[in-house]
């Protein structure tokens, strides 16, 4: 990957700006700094390697050189998008799912925003918000996809089983064309954020639907129930053994199937 190939791959997308870094600590950190410096909406930071990639819940995200797709998109939400800010991570996950589906693989979303292939994690999304006073000034949507098998961290360090796109596809996957497809899908779904169409497509790709799952919300006892679907606001609906529907809002949530 280099800046020239990246520019060519994204030439028909209206990027706000584009930065390619051969190596970086975290593309989210580089994007946060650029946003503070006035980056325009839909500006992108892409790197071939992260030395301090960040995951959700303060975890590390492994991005060895040349093996993964790691990027952060800077969005300047419109007024009407600000109240839907919690849905931007799902937007990122959905865009990745669609790009993977173009490669004839069936991807699913482990609520709220991990992308799975054959029930193994292939992509994570870390969205960070920058506030100015009581308003969201910018959103950084950071996306990491395990493209080559060497992007998958050692099994003993994983909280959830993982895989790579190439392992599942059984053939090489071009990272730049994958990035292009993700960005196109993101642009297509962004105006539909929070609409029934967005809700339905997200719900249709939900992993473990109808299965019994265990959900741990930080600081609370874990609960299990049948994964019933998504609430209108994107919350997770769990059916308790007594048949009650429980709605779980976004937060630091860990979800796994009960086997
Ligand atoms: C998760 O924990 O599942 C979220 C992982 C998000 C990783 C991506 S890689 C690009 C961007 N830069 C980071 O430091 N993190 C995100």
């Amino acid at each position: 990957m280099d800046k020239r190939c990246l520019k060519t791959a994204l030439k028909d997308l209206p990027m706000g700006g584009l930065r390619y870094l051969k190596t970086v600590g975290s593309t989210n950190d580089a994007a946060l700094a650029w946003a503070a410096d006035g980056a325009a909406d839909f500006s992108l930071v892409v790197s071939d390697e992260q030395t301090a990639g960040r995951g959700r819940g303060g975890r590390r995200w492994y991005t060895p050189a040349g093996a993964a797709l790691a990027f952060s998109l800077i969005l300047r939400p419109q007024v009407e998008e600000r109240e839907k800010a919690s849905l931007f991570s799902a937007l990122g996950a959905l865009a990745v799912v669609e790009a993977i589906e173009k490669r004839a693989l069936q991807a699913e979303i482990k609520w709220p925003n991990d992308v799975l292939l054959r029930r193994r994690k292939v992509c994570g999304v870390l969205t960070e918000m920058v506030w100015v006073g009581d308003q969201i000034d910018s959103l950084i949507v950071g996306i990491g996809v395990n493209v080559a098998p060497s992007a998958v961290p050692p099994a003993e360090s994983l909280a959830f089983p993982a895989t790579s796109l190439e392992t599942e596809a059984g053939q090489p996957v071009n990272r730049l064309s994958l990035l292009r497809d993700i960005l196109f899908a993101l642009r297509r779904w962004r105006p539909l954020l929070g609409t029934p169409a967005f809700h339905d497509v997200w719900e249709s790709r939900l992993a473990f639907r109808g299965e019994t799952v265990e959900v741990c919300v930080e600081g609370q006892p874990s609960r299990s129930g049948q994964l019933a679907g998504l609430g209108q606001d994107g919350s997770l609906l769990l059916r308790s053994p007594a048949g009650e529907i429980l709605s779980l809002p976004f937060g630091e949530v860990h979800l796994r199937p009960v086997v």
Side-chain angles (χ1 to χ4, degrees):
M1 196 188 283
D2 60 35
K3 177 86 190 249
R4 197 177 47 84
C5 301
L6 186 62
K7 270 180 118 168
T8 308
L10 306 183
K11 66 178 185 320
D12 44 1
L13 273 153
M15 303 306 302
L18 183 58
R19 283 188 182 169
Y20 169 72
L21 305 161
K22 194 166 169 42
T23 183
V24 69
S26 153
T27 55
N28 265 34
D29 290 340
L32 282 164
W34 193 10
D37 214 20
D41 183 59
F42 224 71
S43 292
L44 183 72
V45 179
V46 185
S47 185
D48 200 41
E49 175 189 40
Q50 293 186 116
T51 53
R54 296 191 285 110
R56 291 195 302 134
R59 289 181 291 274
R60 291 293 294 266
W61 186 263
Y62 186 63
T63 314
L69 181 59
F71 65 92
S72 301
L73 187 64
I74 301 167
L75 300 174
R76 301 275 186 195
Q78 305 281 309
V79 177
E80 66 278 9
E81 289 178 323
R82 289 188 190 139
E83 65 215 32
K84 302 173 196 160
S86 61
L87 297 178
F88 275 88
S89 291
L91 173 68
L94 183 61
V96 173
V97 164
E98 287 206 344
I100 291 178
E101 285 175 349
K102 263 190 92 175
R103 283 147 182 88
L105 291 168
Q106 217 185 329
E108 293 182 303
I109 300 176
K110 179 164 88 75
W111 189 86
N113 49 46
D114 287 342
V115 178
L116 308 184
L117 279 172
R118 274 197 316 128
R119 298 163 78 98
R120 295 169 169 85
K121 181 162 168 172
V122 72
C123 160
V125 183
L126 175 68
T127 299
E128 297 182 291
M129 296 176 197
V130 181
W131 293 80
V132 172
D134 59 358
Q135 277 195 357
I136 296 175
D137 172 68
S138 50
L139 281 154
I140 312 296
V141 183
I143 297 186
V145 186
N146 302 333
V147 176
S150 56
V152 179
E156 60 275 13
S157 66
L158 293 172
F160 193 88
T163 189
S164 75
L165 207 43
E166 291 186 347
T167 306
E168 303 304 324
Q171 58 184 33
V173 171
N174 183 295
R175 289 181 294 162
L176 291 178
S177 109
L178 180 69
L179 172 64
R180 181 175 182 280
D181 290 342
I182 295 171
L183 294 176
F184 266 109
L186 225 142
R187 268 180 57 79
R188 201 171 49 250
W189 281 106
R190 183 178 178 184
L192 297 169
L193 211 63
T195 63
F198 181 82
H199 170 277
D200 292 354
V201 71
W202 181 12
E203 188 173 57
S204 71
R205 302 305 195 278
L206 262 196
F208 315 124
R209 248 181 116 184
E211 293 183 37
T212 302
V213 295
E214 182 181 287
V215 179
C216 303
V217 181
E218 219 157 69
Q220 293 179 25
S222 70
R223 310 154 201 236
S224 54
Q226 195 186 43
L227 200 155
L230 284 181
Q232 280 315 314
D233 58 353
S235 55
L236 185 73
L237 303 180
L238 271 194
R239 185 175 292 109
S240 76
E244 267 177 341
I245 295 285
L246 227 130
S247 166
L248 294 169
F250 298 102
E252 192 43 45
V253 170
H254 302 274
L255 182 152
R256 57 179 60 250
V258 176
V259 281

